[in-house]
Amino acid sequence: MCGIVGYIGNKEALPVLLEGLKDLEYRGYDSAGVAVLHDGKIERIREVGKVEMLAKKIKNKTKEVRLPYKGVLGIAHTRWATHGGVSEKNAHPHTAGAGKLALVHNGIIENYRELKEKLNESLESETDTEILAKWIFKNYQNVGRGDLFQAVRSALLSVRGTYGLVVIHADHPGELVAARMGSPLVIGLGDSEYYLASDITPILPYTKKVSFLEDGEVAKISREGFEVFNLKDEEISKSVIKIDWDVEKAQKGGFENFMLKEIFDQPTVFEDAIRGRMDIGGGTGKLGGLNMSLEEMRQVKRIILIACGTASHACMCAKYAFEKLSGLPIDVDVSSEFRYREPIVDRHTLVFAVSQSGETIDTVMALREAKKRGAVARGIVNVVGSTIAREAGAGTYIHAGPELAVASTKAFTNMVAVLLLYALEFGRLHGVDLETGQKILEEFLKIPAKMNRILKNSNDIKTIAEKYKNNSDFLFIGRGINYPVALEGSLKLKEISYIHSEAYPAGEMKHGAIALLSSDFPVFAIMTKNELYEKIKSNVEEVRARKSKVIIIATEGDAEAKELCDDVIYVPKTMELLEPLLNTIPLQLFAYHTAVALGRDVDRPRNLAKSVTVE
Ligand code: M6R
């Protein structure tokens, strides 16, 4: 996830900016850059790789070309690539007006193509951000001549998408302009100096007094103070608050650790995953990454999803959607198995390699195997520019942002989201009608609010976790699309709490696993109201008859579920195909609270690595 730092004051900006970028490193990035206003000119420098490499480059340049990079006003950025690959020319700050204006930006400009056409200018990079810089500069010339703030405000009236941005202009040495829509920005208040950042970490060493920008707000910041307006140019009165977090707590967004933060990130990053990727009118997904014509899509006769761990559970959830909507044969293969079999694929087989890191060696090798055998290969990946993203040639980023806890959470939901949109795209080609397509998309839009409702129950789930924390075994059961949810709940619990747990398709339990059950072997049942509700209810009865304690995930309003179990966790109703997006969250929270109650190192569980690059 990109990071922003800005400074205006009386001290040299460069050290503040570089230190600030280092404080933002935890967010993950692939390149960095700064722009400082000095002597009426903007000096910009960018580098691929670590902030340290940027600092080294600045040191060398200072000697070589005698650019001092001095100045008391500047902006800086760490980039996590979305539009355009990882390269120096794609790194921020981007400039316009022959270097007169410089801009850093977090977020995605959805209508960048439309703006590009209106601009009709040559571009240095492949980014939506450069177009935004040029668009603001055009507004500076036409509308807001001489007024940087008005230029930014008026330019944003025709911008669609998300942004947290900061702009400087060579002719405005006393001014920073910042704006927010969907991507956080915070102003730090010093003594005749102001700091700006995408989160409070870079600001904390200098001041504890901050003011958060809200969506649709534009700020005009000088050494004398700051004023905030909405896009209609009406002044907004802002409150200043005192933050007493330390830097570590700030990086975790105030949460105790990264895993909890990432669980709570889900409603927001889910929106990032679907934004601009739905054609509501056409009742279908709109994922450019497939890079196939409709005719080529029709030629696909079979789909294989290859992945490991949590990613493979996301694929299993998607299998139900692909089958139901597209009617195409679809297999999910654990990567380490796929590559050592004789998988039957040909040019009519579409293989998706699904991975958070994009570096999991089993999935990389399986992808190579699929390509060697002639399949059409695509990647579904979180980390931009990773091996799978590069080798797949085409594909889709899940936009979950950096996932730092070893246990994968938000990547799971975003993988499911992207895969469901693909399933819908293929479904619409194979007979799903417009109305059904639109219904699915409408329900998609309701998911973030429903996720938030579940997250509000975190403390109740904590109470349940504390009650069961001393059990040494667990069984998770689910049917249909909730079977992979059970698998994911079981994996989360075992990897971070080290409690033994298994997951079974509920109907399969009586063929063996039921022998394990007794009063000290609790069972987690995912029993939401769907087509298989009555079936799983019978399985829960079977469990109760063996005296096991039962925890049920049930649909809000299902009073019967409460009668059947020892503890119930309610989730909002959604369409069956979308259930994993909600039903997994209580299981993540249950695993998390259990691990915390047992004193485990939640973010770095023993024996595990975030990115598994060995076979
Ligand atoms: O980076 P990937 O998505 O390819 O990683 C796959 C698995 O290694 C990963 O999901 C692993 O199972 C996690 N520890 C699960 O929480």
Side-chain angles (χ1 to χ4, degrees), residues 93-399:
H94 285 283
T95 59
K100 279 246 162 190
L101 179 145
L103 169 145
V104 288
H105 161 231
N106 287 356
I108 297 167
I109 304 304
E110 283 176 16
N111 61 334
Y112 72 95
R113 282 203 185 90
E114 192 185 297
L115 300 177
K116 189 174 164 187
E117 269 166 35
K118 285 188 190 158
L119 282 167
N120 197 20
E121 274 189 59
S122 63
L123 296 166
E124 178 204 32
S125 73
E126 305 148 340
T127 65
D128 51 344
T129 301
E130 189 188 357
I131 295 167
L132 181 60
K134 298 220 166 7
W135 180 245
I136 291 174
F137 189 75
K138 191 180 168 84
N139 273 266
Y140 181 80
Q141 290 174 308
N142 297 344
V143 191
R145 197 166 183 85
D147 190 334
L148 184 59
F149 167 80
Q150 287 302 347
V152 173
R153 190 194 62 78
S154 66
L156 292 178
L157 290 173
S158 38
V159 167
R160 274 199 325 275
T162 51
Y163 50 79
L165 60 87
V166 191
V167 185
I168 58 174
H169 192 293
D171 298 341
H172 298 259
E175 191 176 355
L176 277 174
V177 178
R180 173 194 163 140
M181 184 66 80
S183 198
L185 267 187
V186 53
I187 304 171
L189 288 73
D191 191 9
S192 298
E193 58 178 4
Y194 289 84
Y195 303 83
L196 255 165
S198 41
D199 70 45
I200 59 171
T201 25
I203 293 175
L204 285 177
Y206 307 101
T207 175
K208 306 277 184 220
K209 284 196 291 179
V210 299
S211 184
F212 290 91
L213 284 188
E214 300 298 333
D215 281 353
E217 292 181 349
V218 190
K220 185 177 176 176
I221 307 164
S222 69
R223 286 173 196 88
E224 287 73 48
F226 73 99
E227 297 167 285
V228 177
F229 298 82
N230 61 20
L231 289 172
K232 288 192 226 146
D233 209 11
E234 295 158 342
E235 189 160 3
I236 313 268
S237 137
K238 298 293 291 179
S239 53
V240 173
I241 55 170
K242 209 170 160 237
I243 297 276
D244 50 16
W245 296 352
D246 58 19
V247 169
E248 202 192 327
K249 190 156 182 180
Q251 289 180 340
K252 291 171 184 159
F255 290 95
E256 282 312 301
N257 40 51
F258 284 113
M259 183 177 174
L260 191 60
K261 173 188 178 289
E262 287 159 10
I263 292 173
F264 274 79
D265 275 348
Q266 287 175 108
T268 312
V269 298
F270 177 83
E271 284 179 343
D272 294 339
I274 63 170
R275 184 175 294 114
R277 290 171 164 180
M278 299 192 299
D279 169 7
I280 309 263
T284 187
K286 204 177 65 179
L287 292 151
L290 197 57
N291 223 0
M292 287 169 113
S293 65
L294 288 182
E295 194 36 49
E296 284 167 325
M297 282 175 78
R298 279 195 194 95
Q299 293 299 313
V300 172
K301 302 289 176 236
R302 185 167 166 233
I303 297 175
I304 304 179
L305 306 177
I306 47 175
C308 304
T310 289
S312 75
H313 299 153
C315 293
M316 287 173 75
C317 295
K319 176 182 162 88
Y320 292 84
F322 271 105
E323 278 179 348
K324 191 161 189 154
L325 299 174
S326 74
L328 289 170
I330 167 144
D331 293 307
V332 178
D333 239 321
V334 166
S335 312
S336 52
E337 290 297 317
F338 177 88
R339 61 175 293 210
Y340 290 117
R341 289 207 324 273
E342 294 289 329
I344 298 164
V345 301
D346 59 19
R347 65 197 170 86
H348 297 297
T349 311
L350 172 61
V351 173
F352 283 111
V354 184
S355 169
Q356 187 286 129
S357 61
E359 300 296 346
T360 302
I361 194 71
D362 291 321
T363 309
V364 171
M365 298 308 280
L367 169 71
R368 288 179 188 161
E369 185 64 32
K371 283 171 74 174
K372 200 171 91 193
R373 288 173 181 265
V376 181
R378 297 289 182 264
I380 295 183
V381 168
N382 193 33
V383 179
V384 175
S386 55
T387 306
I388 294 175
R390 284 183 277 113
E391 292 197 11
T396 302
Y397 289 119
I398 62 169
H399 293 322

Side-chain angles (χ1 to χ4, degrees), residues 463-507:
T463 309
I464 300 175
E466 280 167 357
K467 181 168 154 191
Y468 290 92
K469 70 169 195 264
N470 292 322
N471 280 91
S472 46
D473 305 281
F474 257 94
L475 179 66
F476 287 74
I477 55 170
R479 292 187 86 121
I481 202 160
N482 283 312
Y483 166 50
V485 171
L487 283 167
E488 179 57 9
S490 168
L491 174 64
K492 283 293 86 85
L493 185 66
K494 67 175 83 123
E495 68 179 337
I496 60 166
S497 75
Y498 318 145
I499 293 176
H500 164 242
S501 85
E502 302 204 22
Y504 255 72

